[in-house]
Amino acid sequence: MARLQSTQQLRQLKERIVAEKPADRRAIAVCAGTGCKAFGSFELVEAFRAELEKQGLDKEVELRPTGCHGFCERGPLVLLFPEGRLYQRVKTDDVPEIVEKTIKGGEVIERLLYEEPGTGKKFEKEEDIPFYKHQHRLVLRSNGLINPSSIEDYIAIGGYEALGRAFEMGPDAVLGEVKGANLRGRGGGGFPAGTKWELCKKQPGDLKYIICNADEGDPGAFMDRSIVEGNPHAVIEGMVIGAFTMGAREGYVYIRQEYPLALERLNKALDEARQRGLLGEDILGSGFGFDIKVNRGGGAFVCGEESALIRSIEGRRGVPRRRPPYPAQKGLWGKPTNINNVETWATVPLIVAKGAKWFTGIGTEKSKGTKIFSLVGKVNNTGLVEIPMGMSLREIVYDIGGGIPGGKKFKAVQTGGPSGGCLPASKLDLSVDFDTLIAEGAMMGSGGMIVMDESTCMVDLAKYFVQFLRSESCGNCTSCRDGLDWMHSLLQQVCAGEGTMELLDQIEQIAETVRVSSLCALGSTAANPVLSTIKHFRDEYEAHVEQGRCPAKVCKSLITYTIDADKCTGCLVCAKRCPESTIEGEKKKPHRIIQDGCIKCGVCLDVCKFDAVHVE
Amino acid sequence: MPVQVKINGIKMSAEPQETVLQVARRSGVHIPTLCHLESVESTGACRVCLVEMKLGGKTQLTTSCNAGVEDGMEIMTDTPEVQKHRAANLEMMLGRAPGSQKIRALAREYGVYESAYVPSEDPAIPGCILCELCVRVCEALGHSALAAVSRGGKKYIGTPHDKPSESCVGCGACAEKCPTRCIEMTDTKKTRTIWGQTFDFVSCETCGAPVMTVRQRTHAVETKELPEDYYTTCVACKQKNLAGRFARVGS
């Protein structure tokens, strides 16, 4: 792989690749993100390879394992070019048929198309599927198009051209563009990246660092993982542009050890970028040199907090410290450091390439551009979605997410990860942007979005998040460490029906102390799930403490499983499956649950075909 | 360039490297602390030095021990908000260290007599409020024999892998500076037992009282390049000896 000595050579390389692989070339893109990999997409790639070879089509048809396409619910996904046809839930057995009928014959296989739940309507093209149609995919767009392990694929779609442009513009103009775009940090805080860059750029000295925060720790969030897995060069390019702007010579990607695939692809991308002269000394013949090291995180949620992350890179315990001084003033090894998250870095090349004016044309007045969310929970279309800032929660949950499965009722949506807030149905028309969410006691966070239906107990949910944060608090501040532990004990009491109304006040008071008197953002936001659920779902808390009732029928101490003798056919299935052997009864005679031994696991409810098991 | 701050409404001039706590204390304004020690890094762990800080139109609570002064900062050290949250933090610490007279007395000042908080994990060291002052003191003395282990409610203070540490010299500074005096240290005339190991004392040549542990002396002699027999007498005998010599010089 030859080093590129100039932007001119980069352009020539791109032209050569595009000439070899024209856009209208026939290609099979198989999603090889972690989600589809779990569904067996790696085997699918091999099956396609073997089949294409067998049919003698391997030269003519390009087989391309790609990053995450976002529609994880329907994986493994296979996207067929040039038509943009999407097959979903594809199995290795389907491969010969796809090659025979669709690739060779141009025929559509109906059974593999996406079918809309409810309407039964089938969609042939990816772009027409409501899940994709309502999105605005800037950062994620390339994920389905390129092989993340091929720098040529990235260059073919215009990769590293923004870097070339940045070298032509010079650091001041690039900074002006990032500031003008009002790019706000996608990692949680929403702090303007340009302001941070400017502060770091202004610091004296030639030893500065750039960090990419890929320590995505929110339960159910996989935005950053999917970007690194699907388009690692976008992150690298963003970092080189940032380093050039601020005058840094060395960078770090702090990435979770639990992301093996992302790590593998990132390392491959770094190697290829070095070989191509896009990292290292004299990048693209500009005279500017910069390289990136990879630092693997040990799985502590708190290390996503920038000052804790910096300490962790230094080899110390990941504990946040008070700011100021900000990392831009005194960061890694005491030197000026700029830290942004994966999505922010991946957005930078787009802004430099297309300009601040283009970027500010998307989004709301104060929140520009798009934001990626991992849409999970009780929603039909779970997956990764990218939306323009300002879209309503309703559009995300219903238009993109396809609503709530099983005919159940929407109850709440939690945004912003474990320390985000829960918003009820009455807030569904809120605009999703940084400031609106914070004003409502929720937050953008890094982009976790969990949808809950009527079967979710909000007290139990609050307890779950408090439990998570209690375990993940670094343990420095009394208020966060002990306050969360205390709140958790009290919430356990509420869930056990042992609470009183005074207990609710006490929980709120402790939550307030945790919020205002802890050092870092983990502590100051940790009370959000409790405060927001008490605010919007107070009736559920009251039902637990005043009536000893769990309206969602979740809290085990407050529910009883019984068998309706009229409906029970005496099939013995529940009795056989009961792990505690606490269901008695003879064949063809109504069964009975011995309450003393019942652990309320719900297995009987799940296995009964006659709707004879009730929970009260 | 000195910066101008206001503490409880009174204008003060401060050096930019000073902390809010330092400026307050040298001006005679009382702020309680538990885990703060002037000679080691402040981490704001215990949270009792909370003050209300107004800066750039924003008011928030912050710990004064690790907050550097900034020009235009307005600090209030005793507002109802400050009192409320100091009390709440003290109640949590009283739950961890019900036997600590220091915490009990301070909590009482804020109207907290008993704590309703019971930590869910059994503490590795009863009475420990996990402030890590011992860890910081040990590090500052050049030993780093102690560290915080795990996080959240499972956090505790210990030696590496919970085994006796080779770095520990048995100086006892950790136990001495601990705000709740919860670190177990047992001294006999000849030995000291702490953190799972027993150290021999250097005995005073004159009176036989313990001078320091042998390992502490070895460490001091090596790191400070002192003669090997530098620490042979206890402080009391050294003083007596010196006083005698001065008396002889004087006569």
Side-chain angles (χ1 to χ4, degrees):
Chain A
M1 211 177 270
R3 270 183 75 91
L4 301 168
Q5 312 278 0
S6 64
T7 44
Q8 173 69 19
Q9 287 187 3
L10 175 73
R11 270 193 291 272
Q12 286 164 353
L13 177 64
K14 180 189 169 184
E15 280 161 21
R16 206 166 62 231
I17 301 166
V18 173
E20 277 169 24
K21 294 181 182 179
D24 58 358
R25 188 170 179 227
R26 191 158 282 288
I28 303 171
V30 181
C31 174
T34 294
C36 283
K37 182 189 170 205
F39 278 125
S41 71
F42 279 28
E43 289 79 11
L44 207 55
V45 172
E46 288 318 307
F48 270 116
R49 197 186 310 282
E51 188 63 28
L52 289 173
E53 269 173 33
K54 199 170 117 191
Q55 304 261 9
L57 291 167
D58 50 323
K59 297 277 178 304
E60 196 181 319
V61 180
E62 187 197 345
L63 177 62
R64 198 186 299 151
T66 70
C68 177
H69 299 199
F71 204 3
C72 310
E73 176 77 31
R74 309 305 303 176
L77 301 168
V78 174
L79 193 55
L80 303 169
F81 292 103
E83 299 90 348
R85 200 173 272 155
L86 182 80
Y87 284 161
Q88 43 98 59
R89 299 253 165 115
V90 180
K91 295 183 190 65
T92 44
D93 294 347
D94 300 322
V95 168
E97 191 184 349
I98 294 173
V99 173
E100 190 60 42
K101 284 191 182 160
T102 312
I103 303 291
K104 286 167 83 176
E107 188 188 329
V108 174
I109 305 168
E110 287 280 324
R111 136 179 82 78
L112 296 174
L113 295 178
Y114 167 72
E115 186 185 312
E116 193 173 42
T119 64
K121 194 178 167 198
K122 291 201 170 190
F123 295 86
E124 194 183 317
K125 289 191 173 176
E126 186 192 65
E127 62 196 42
D128 297 331
I129 296 173
F131 175 80
Y132 289 105
K133 200 175 153 187
H134 297 282
Q135 293 190 46
H136 193 129
R137 295 159 78 88
L138 300 179
V139 179
L140 284 181
R141 190 184 60 95
S142 314
N143 264 28
L145 301 178
I146 60 168
N147 177 350
S149 299
S150 158
I151 194 168
E152 279 78 17
D153 270 22
Y154 184 64
I155 289 171
I157 58 161
Y160 290 106
E161 274 175 27
L163 176 62
R165 194 172 138 69
F167 287 147
E168 285 159 19
M169 288 161 72
D172 292 328
V174 177
L175 178 66
E177 224 38 55
V178 174
K179 280 187 79 178
N182 193 13
L183 172 64
R184 295 173 67 171
R186 263 63 177 153
F191 192 81
T195 310
K196 254 186 356 188
W197 285 29
E198 189 171 34
L199 186 58
C200 183
K201 184 177 187 306
K202 273 200 317 215
Q203 301 299 315
D206 56 358
L207 200 53
K208 291 178 189 175
Y209 295 99
I210 296 288
I211 297 175
C212 171
N213 184 348
D215 193 51
E216 183 175 53
D218 300 8
F222 51 99
M223 299 76 60
D224 295 342
R225 186 190 73 199
S226 298
I227 295 173
V228 177
E229 277 176 12
N231 197 357
H233 286 289
V235 181
I236 297 171
E237 186 179 3
M239 289 179 75
V240 184
I241 293 171
F244 171 67
T245 310
M246 289 171 265
R249 306 259 305 149
E250 207 174 297
Y252 283 85
V253 177
Y254 188 94
I255 185 165
R256 301 188 66 177
Q257 171 73 21
E258 296 95 323
Y259 283 178
L261 196 58
L263 257 169
E264 183 191 314
R265 291 186 184 159
L266 176 65
N267 280 322
K268 174 91 195 290
L270 289 170
D271 279 347
E272 291 199 339
R274 278 186 206 109
Q275 286 169 32
R276 281 290 183 195
L278 294 159
L279 271 182
E281 291 306 316
D282 193 21
I283 296 170
L284 285 179
S286 64
F288 172 73
F290 173 73
D291 209 340
I292 295 173
K293 286 181 184 161
V294 175
N295 201 296
R296 288 167 301 172
F301 177 69
V302 72
C303 284
E305 197 280 342
E306 59 181 19
S307 62
L309 185 152
I310 286 172
R311 282 199 194 201
S312 177
I313 294 182
E314 291 172 346
R316 298 193 287 158
R317 186 174 156 86
V319 174
R321 66 157 174 79
R322 192 185 182 277
R323 295 163 301 169
Y326 292 99
Q329 302 158 311
K330 209 174 168 198
L332 186 62
W333 321 113
K335 300 293 172 195
T337 301
N338 182 76
I339 175 162
N340 283 119
N341 100 317
V342 170
E343 193 181 334
T344 313
W345 285 122
T347 308
V348 167
L350 299 172
I351 291 172
V352 174
K354 299 186 179 183
K357 209 174 157 197
W358 162 81
F359 192 74
T360 51
I362 309 160
T364 67
E365 194 199 336
K366 287 183 174 163
S367 302
K368 300 297 182 192
T370 58
K371 176 77 193 87
I372 304 175
F373 287 93
S374 50
L375 186 62
V376 295
K378 305 290 177 60
V379 60
N380 273 313
N381 305 332
T382 59
L384 217 53
V385 306
E386 184 172 353
I387 54 137
M389 297 272 191
M391 189 181 245
S392 73
L393 282 167
R394 188 183 302 279
E395 286 170 280
I396 300 174
V397 174
Y398 286 94
D399 295 346
I400 297 175
I404 317 299
K408 289 199 172 149
K409 247 175 75 187
F410 170 90
K411 187 179 218 170
V413 58
Q414 205 240 15
T415 67
S419 42
C422 296
L423 298 168
S426 62
K427 302 284 178 190
L428 268 174
D429 291 310
L430 278 185
S431 146
V432 173
D433 60 68
F434 288 106
D435 311 292
T436 307
L437 289 178
I438 290 203
E440 288 295 334
M443 59 183 196
M444 184 84 85
S446 59
M449 192 174 277
I450 304 172
V451 181
M452 287 155 273
D453 68 12
E454 55 194 327
S455 66
T456 308
C457 167
M458 300 312 281
V459 187
D460 182 66
L461 180 91
K463 190 183 75 176
Y464 166 77
F465 285 120
V466 169
Q467 154 64 19
F468 176 84
L469 294 162
R470 175 183 81 132
S471 312
E472 291 300 332
S473 160
C474 79
N476 180 65
C477 299
T478 303
S479 45
C480 173
R481 180 195 62 231
D482 293 347
L484 289 169
D485 186 41
W486 197 358
M487 278 163 72
H488 184 253
S489 311
L490 299 182
L491 286 167
Q492 274 180 322
Q493 285 182 37
V494 175
C495 289
E498 293 162 3
T500 58
M501 292 304 281
E502 288 77 53
L503 200 68
L504 294 189
D505 296 338
Q506 198 188 357
I507 292 173
E508 277 186 296
Q509 280 166 20
I510 301 168
E512 189 59 17
T513 295
V514 175
R515 188 175 75 81
V516 300
S517 70
S518 304
L519 186 149
C520 77
L522 190 153
S524 62
T525 59
N528 281 345
V530 174
L531 290 172
S532 66
T533 48
I534 292 185
K535 184 175 165 194
H536 297 302
F537 301 92
R538 198 175 175 92
D539 54 331
E540 272 195 56
Y541 280 84
E542 288 175 356
H544 282 74
V545 296
E546 285 199 311
Q547 303 155 19
R549 194 171 61 85
C550 174
K553 297 172 186 171
V554 171
C555 295
K556 286 187 179 179
S557 307
L558 305 179
I559 54 170
T560 315
Y561 284 84
T562 50
I563 294 172
D564 184 339
D566 293 338
K567 286 186 178 169
C568 179
T569 62
C571 71
L572 279 174
V573 169
C574 62
K576 277 181 198 150
R577 294 287 299 276
C578 174
E580 296 296 303
S581 305
T582 190
I583 299 179
E584 59 174 24
E586 289 166 39
K587 204 168 183 186
K588 295 191 178 163
K589 283 185 184 163
H591 301 343
R592 195 174 71 87
I593 299 173
I594 308 164
Q595 294 300 333
D596 273 357
C598 177
I599 57 165
K600 294 158 188 174
C601 64
V603 166
C604 50
L605 179 74
D606 293 342
V607 298
C608 180
K609 288 182 189 149
F610 309 100
D611 201 16
V613 180
H614 295 302
V615 203
E616 280 309 323
Chain B
M1 263 284 279
V3 295
Q4 302 304 315
V5 296
K6 261 188 194 173
I7 298 184
N8 296 341
I10 299 162
K11 277 187 190 165
M12 290 176 193
S13 185
E15 293 302 318
Q17 70 278 13
E18 279 187 294
T19 63
V20 171
L21 181 67
Q22 284 170 330
V23 178
R25 286 204 166 160
R26 69 170 167 73
S27 318
V29 176
H30 173 70
I31 296 173
T33 57
L34 283 170
C35 73
H36 169 77
L37 194 64
E38 203 51 57
S39 50
V40 299
E41 187 199 358
S42 286
T43 53
C46 75
R47 315 309 281 174
V48 295
C49 69
L50 286 172
V51 292
E52 210 169 284
M53 177 186 85
K54 202 167 147 187
L55 185 70
K58 217 173 119 189
T59 304
Q60 64 182 93
L61 292 186
T62 184
T63 41
S64 55
C65 67
N66 59 353
V69 287
E70 285 176 67
D71 202 44
M73 227 180 215
E74 287 177 43
I75 302 292
M76 298 296 282
T77 64
D78 211 21
T79 63
E81 187 75 356
V82 166
Q83 288 177 14
K84 185 169 92 184
H85 296 293
R86 277 186 195 162
N89 279 289
L90 278 163
E91 184 171 355
M92 294 175 204
M93 282 185 280
L94 188 60
R96 288 202 170 267
S100 162
Q101 290 311 311
K102 192 171 182 176
I103 296 207
R104 197 163 279 280
L106 191 55
R108 213 178 290 132
E109 284 179 37
Y110 290 87
V112 178
Y113 292 88
E114 286 305 327
S115 176
Y117 170 58
V118 183
S120 59
E121 300 280 340
D122 281 339
I125 302 173
C128 174
I129 57 166
L130 302 166
C131 70
E132 295 182 56
L133 182 56
C134 52
V135 177
R136 287 176 275 146
V137 165
C138 188
E139 190 182 342
L141 288 170
H143 307 306
S144 295
L146 296 176
V149 188
S150 294
R151 35 180 205 276
K154 289 192 163 63
K155 175 183 168 181
Y156 67 96
I157 308 298
T159 49
H161 308 287
D162 299 321
K163 294 201 173 98
S165 165
E166 280 176 28
S167 312
C168 180
V169 296
C171 69
C174 51
E176 179 71 29
K177 293 297 172 196
C178 172
T180 62
R181 308 290 281 191
C182 68
I183 298 172
E184 217 179 286
M185 181 167 80
T186 315
D187 285 2
T188 66
K189 203 165 176 217
K190 297 272 178 211
T191 62
R192 163 173 293 169
T193 305
I194 188 167
W195 293 113
Q197 53 187 329
T198 300
F199 299 89
D200 289 332
F201 276 133
V202 175
S203 298
C204 177
E205 277 181 346
T206 316
C207 70
V211 179
M212 58 175 61
T213 67
V214 174
R215 211 187 293 174
Q216 192 183 356
R217 181 174 70 176
T218 310
H219 181 265
V221 164
E222 278 170 7
T223 53
K224 294 176 190 160
E225 296 179 18
L226 300 169
E228 245 172 74
D229 59 349
Y230 191 76
Y231 298 106
T232 47
T233 42
C234 69
V235 176
C237 289
K238 200 177 241 171
Q239 283 171 350
K240 218 194 275 175
N241 195 354
L242 271 176
R245 274 157 63 188
F246 284 140
R248 279 200 296 281
V249 172
S251 63

